[in-house]
């Protein structure tokens, strides 16, 4: 009887240890947001060639000057217009960058889009939404050099936050801060 109790106790401890060591990506995302003393992003805009490495969160708050620098890098390069992007988007980028521990910058494929740019892109492709969240500063298309698009997509979906589009032929994923959903494009 004593051996049986010990066996059950050990089994319960192993199960608890296994469960705690397997935090979901969503829980890790929440932890990243809560415990990070500083959040730094390393970004590269593939259209303008601009690169930026900046700490956008420090001392328990967003750093306005650094956020403005990121917003400028995220501008619509066709119209040369920028808006204030949603800060939660930058938290998501930070989490993905941390998760893959990439030494390379996150490649920005598309971030803010002016309404005219979005309309022009819609005429060229049926994969561009009329009311795209890119026009609201709530979406970004990215890739990480050295990280498969499939793995990046799975990690973004696992955050359980916002929309995630997977574009394997085009070589990027889309993330946004809208309602939770997912899709696959070209």
């Amino acid at each position: 009887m004593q051996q049986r109790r010990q066996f059950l106790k050990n089994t319960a401890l192993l199960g608890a240890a296994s469960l705690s060591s397997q935090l979901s990506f969503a829980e890790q995302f929440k932890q990243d947001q809560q415990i990070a003393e500083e959040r730094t992003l390393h970004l590269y805009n593939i259209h303008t060639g601009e690169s930026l490495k900046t700490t956008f969160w420090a001392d328990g708050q967003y750093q306005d000057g650094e956020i403005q620098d990121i917003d400028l890098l995220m501008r619509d390069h066709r119209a040369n217009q920028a808006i204030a992007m949603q800060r939660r988007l930058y938290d998501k980028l930070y989490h993905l960058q941390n998760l893959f521990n990439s030494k390379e910058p996150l490649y920005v494929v598309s971030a803010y889009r002016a309404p005219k740019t979005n309309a022009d892109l819609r005429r060229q492709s049926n994969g561009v939404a009329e009311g795209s969240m890119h026009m609201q500063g709530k979406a970004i298309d990215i890739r990480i050099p050295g990280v498969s698009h499939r793995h990046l997509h799975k990690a973004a979906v696992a955050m359980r936050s916002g929309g995630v589009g997977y574009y394997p032929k085009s070589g990027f994923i889309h993330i946004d801060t809208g309602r939770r959903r997912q899709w696959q494009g070209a």
Side-chain angles (χ1 to χ4, degrees):
M1 188 67 147
Q2 185 74 350
Q3 287 177 328
R4 183 170 185 261
R5 281 191 196 131
Q6 188 61 40
F7 172 78
L8 291 173
K9 182 178 177 184
N10 288 345
T11 302
L13 288 174
L14 284 174
S18 174
L19 184 62
S20 67
S21 69
Q22 296 177 358
L23 290 176
S24 73
F25 286 118
E27 290 165 333
Q28 287 176 2
F29 177 53
K30 288 177 186 172
Q31 279 186 351
D32 275 354
Q33 290 180 308
Q34 293 169 355
I35 63 175
E37 291 180 21
E38 289 187 348
R39 298 178 200 156
T40 299
L41 279 174
H42 189 189
L43 304 165
Y44 173 74
N45 185 312
I46 67 168
H47 299 289
T48 65
E50 296 167 305
S51 185
L52 175 67
K53 187 172 188 176
T54 189
T55 301
F56 70 97
W57 171 274
D59 303 321
Q61 61 188 5
Y62 292 101
Q63 303 299 300
D64 291 335
E66 283 72 13
I67 292 285
Q68 290 172 0
D69 290 344
I70 299 171
D71 289 343
L72 184 60
L73 184 124
M74 300 288 180
R75 73 186 176 279
D76 178 339
H77 69 278
R78 292 170 183 92
N80 199 30
Q81 293 177 351
I83 66 168
M85 301 288 285
Q86 196 166 69
R87 293 174 178 192
R88 286 187 319 168
L89 198 56
Y90 297 155
D91 293 329
K92 289 177 168 215
L93 294 177
Y94 170 78
H95 173 71
L96 291 171
Q97 177 183 269
N98 260 10
L99 183 66
F100 290 103
N101 197 24
S102 176
K103 302 301 180 216
E104 296 291 322
L106 293 169
Y107 279 31
V108 177
V109 176
S110 181
Y112 172 64
R113 286 188 208 143
K116 181 184 180 323
T117 298
N118 200 73
D120 291 345
L121 291 173
R122 265 183 67 73
R123 281 190 285 279
Q124 297 170 18
S125 169
N126 62 0
V128 176
E130 183 175 7
S132 173
M133 293 191 136
H134 287 276
M135 294 187 301
Q136 302 167 36
K138 296 180 179 181
I140 185 169
D141 301 334
I142 62 166
R143 71 174 65 113
I144 302 178
V147 175
S148 81
H149 308 310
R150 187 172 55 90
H151 287 124
L152 185 56
H153 171 252
K154 283 184 178 184
V157 168
M159 285 192 289
R160 297 185 194 151
S161 170
V164 179
Y166 181 40
Y167 297 85
K169 290 181 183 174
S170 300
F172 66 85
I173 69 156
H174 165 104
I175 60 173
D176 65 48
T177 58
R179 64 180 172 77
R180 193 171 147 198
R181 67 214 185 285
Q182 58 180 304
W183 64 93
Q184 182 168 336

